[in-house]
Amino acid sequence: MPRKGMRSIFFKSPSPTRMTPPSSPLHHTFSESLMEENIEVAQFIITKWDSSHDDNLVSLFSDKDEARQYLGSIKGLQKAMKYLVLHQSNSEKLVRAQLLMQTAMKRLQKEFYQILKSNRDYLDPESVSAYSSSRPSVSRSSFSEFEEEEEEEEDESENENDSVPEVERASLAAMADLRAIAEAMISAGYAKECIKVYKIIRKSIVDEALYHLGVERELTFQKIQKMEWEVLEFKIKNWLSAVKMAVKTLFYGERLLCDQVFSVSAAIRESCFTEISKEGALALFGFPENVAKCKKTPEKLFRILDLYEAVSGLWPEVESIFSFESTSAVRATAVNSLIKLGDTVRTMLMDFETAIQKDSSKTTVPGGGIHPLTRYVMNYISFLADYCGILLDIFADWPFTVPSALPESYFGSPDSEGSISSPISVRLAWLILVMLCKLDGKAAMYKDVPLSYLFLANNLQYVTEKVRQSNLKFLLGDDWLINHELKVKQYAENYEKIGWSKVLASLPENQTAENPADRVNDHFKKFNSAFEEAYMKQISWVVPDPKLRDHIKISMARRIIPIYKEFYEAYGGVQMKKEMWGEPFIRFTPDDLGNYLSDMFYGSKSSGSVSSSSRGGGRSH
């Protein structure tokens, strides 16, 4: 049978999906002889490819011309059957046509299965989603236009062959063949047979992909609740690495494939995609909700925030991919996960504040160093600052009222960008204030008042450095930092004044005024005793921060050495090396004092008395 003649019959007729009334033009133009010719052509082509007794199926879609003829013969057979139903409903020809259609549908069902199986690598969701991102549409209007569009694509492929990857070309070809078969079977009333094959094969692919991504469907809340945190954290990390791939590639690609293959029917697209993906998606988004319901401990907060960030970030894709009414449970599960995770974050932050307030440790840090509470809280809060965007979302509908009036110094300029007027900034500033109040109580535990001030200076310096080196700087603002850095200097100044007051008091107010020799000796003696006492007591005290340590040393040197030097130069020559009970009255030169002061705040332990200037002066550091 001439191919061009078949094309004119098979591809230019009205849509087969509508019954044509006797009064239509088709009733007059579609003659009985043409109807018989369509049946004859269909019998020749369909019988030629009948594989009922052939186990080795050779795909008719491997030859596009054969495929076009086959689909065209089905189109013509449908027209003939509609004509017979209207005019010869009891005709033997109608029975013959129906048997031919059954044979053709069995063949197409096998072809559909074979294409799905043999093109599995080209139809994996990653390939489909990648293809779609580069070419937004691969659809056709109906299987009756299969031939014309195939020819157009062949012409286009000659020009694009070098630019389009082979995987994408194969993916396009397979989707086109599947769509043509699906439309033919659906149009002929064999949708059920086509859908069954599609669902079985594609669901197995999705399930296998989720398994390889580490999505565990049997991971119930009861099982999660019993897990050690290390085990659960490992599973959370796996989930975080899997969820983006699952949503943006696996489910997105599967949705695209369904939309392309079954574009002729919205109901079928929805049914197929729902049955293929719903179960796996529910298991995927049920995991974070179950984690959120577990026992809440501080170390879990950041993983909870990671989960919230992942689900929240993927929500637009989830809403779009699972937009069907039949997949509303997936959307609801994702939303419930966000709600539960948000509730958990709010609860854990309140618990964190309560834990700070209830800290009752009585031990003091040796040397006035950094308290463990300061390290823990500031590390925790600086990590929280990295999630400021997520926290803003979580606390958007939870306004924060400060339990008591925060000092003005705890707020930045409300007009400045990133100021502490932000709700999250206020919450974090409040947590820092709660901790600083606890540190005030811990400072009071030191018996030496100067050491308590040094402790406060050290810890507040640690706080300001943590703020400066993290995102807290942008949340709390420059004003907050400046105010608290001034407080550090005030604490340091209080330490110096009290800690070295006896040393300064041992020298006369007027160093150059005339003083009797015995009074001069008495001043040197008191200075020696006071300096040695202060030094020996404070040599084990620490200032971990180098900048603060240098600041205090320089300040102390400026406070003590010039006064001593003036007195030393006025009377040192007269009394030089004069001894009482074998000890010199003048034990330190001004340079000795500088050496001793430079040796301080490293936490070193001193044994014995301070070396005298006659034995080489102070230790240089």
Side-chain angles (χ1 to χ4, degrees), residues 187-441:
S187 176
Y190 285 78
K192 183 178 179 181
E193 290 78 0
C194 177
I195 293 168
K196 181 180 179 181
V197 171
Y198 187 87
K199 287 179 177 179
I200 290 173
I201 293 178
R202 295 310 302 179
K203 190 173 189 305
S204 69
I205 290 172
V206 170
D207 290 348
E208 182 181 337
L210 288 172
Y211 173 80
H212 287 302
L213 285 173
V215 178
E216 302 178 54
R217 301 192 181 193
E218 69 282 359
L219 205 55
T220 62
F221 167 67
Q222 289 74 19
K223 291 182 179 179
I224 291 175
Q225 194 175 30
K226 294 176 181 178
M227 287 180 182
E228 294 293 332
W229 170 239
E230 292 75 14
V231 176
L232 180 55
E233 185 177 28
F234 177 76
K235 291 188 179 293
I236 290 173
K237 289 179 180 178
N238 282 347
W239 187 91
L240 290 169
S241 64
V243 66
K244 187 174 182 180
M245 177 69 74
V247 172
K248 293 199 169 191
T249 299
L250 180 60
F251 291 126
Y252 175 64
E254 203 58 42
R255 172 68 190 266
L256 288 175
L257 187 61
C258 273
D259 288 349
Q260 294 300 333
V261 173
F262 298 107
S263 61
V264 71
S265 170
I268 292 175
R269 290 201 304 271
E270 177 174 353
S271 171
C272 284
F273 179 72
T274 299
E275 186 162 334
I276 289 167
S277 64
K278 182 178 178 180
E279 184 182 350
L282 288 175
L284 180 71
F285 290 109
F287 175 76
E289 182 178 357
N290 287 333
V291 172
K293 292 188 291 185
C294 290
K295 183 179 178 182
K296 300 166 182 60
T297 54
E299 71 272 12
K300 296 179 182 177
L301 177 58
F302 300 104
R303 290 304 174 197
I304 296 293
L305 286 168
D306 288 336
L307 290 172
Y308 186 98
E309 185 175 30
V311 179
S312 176
L314 290 169
W315 171 247
E317 286 86 354
V318 173
E319 192 175 29
S320 174
I321 295 168
F322 299 94
S323 58
F324 298 125
E325 179 63 29
S326 56
T327 55
S328 61
V330 176
R331 301 195 304 274
T333 301
V335 170
N336 287 336
S337 288
L338 286 176
I339 292 172
K340 293 291 185 184
L341 290 167
D343 289 342
T344 298
V345 169
R346 289 187 285 268
T347 300
M348 293 174 81
L349 271 184
M350 288 188 289
D351 291 345
F352 179 64
E353 178 185 336
T354 302
I356 298 173
Q357 292 173 333
K358 289 184 176 180
D359 181 85
S360 58
S361 58
K362 300 296 183 181
T363 56
T364 57
V365 180
I370 311 302
H371 198 280
L373 180 67
T374 308
R375 295 184 187 276
Y376 177 71
V377 171
M378 288 311 300
N379 284 334
Y380 203 87
I381 294 177
S382 62
F383 282 132
L384 278 176
D386 294 337
Y387 294 90
C388 58
I390 299 300
L391 290 170
L392 279 170
D393 186 35
I394 292 173
F395 286 97
D397 299 324
W398 291 75
F400 179 65
T401 302
V402 177
S404 62
L406 276 173
E408 186 177 348
S409 61
Y410 281 83
F411 290 91
S413 169
D415 298 326
S416 62
E417 184 179 353
S419 73
I420 201 169
S421 58
S422 155
I424 295 306
S425 301
V426 174
R427 287 178 184 273
L428 298 184
W430 170 252
L431 289 174
I432 293 175
L433 178 58
V434 170
M435 179 201 65
L436 292 177
C437 291
K438 293 298 293 186
L439 292 177
D440 286 342

Side-chain angles (χ1 to χ4, degrees), residues 553 593-602 619-621:
K553 287 180 181 180
L593 297 184
N595 290 334
Y596 280 114
L597 292 177
S598 69
D599 206 26
M600 295 187 65
F601 306 126
Y602 293 99
R619 294 177 294 166
S620 61
H621 183 78

Side-chain angles (χ1 to χ4, degrees), residues 119-132 134 161 163-175:
N119 290 278
R120 175 168 177 160
D121 291 341
Y122 299 122
L123 294 175
D124 70 287
E126 186 172 0
S127 299
V128 174
S129 58
Y131 178 81
S132 175
S134 61
N161 196 47
S163 60
V164 180
E166 180 184 353
V167 172
E168 291 186 10
R169 292 198 302 273
S171 177
L172 168 64
M175 283 192 284

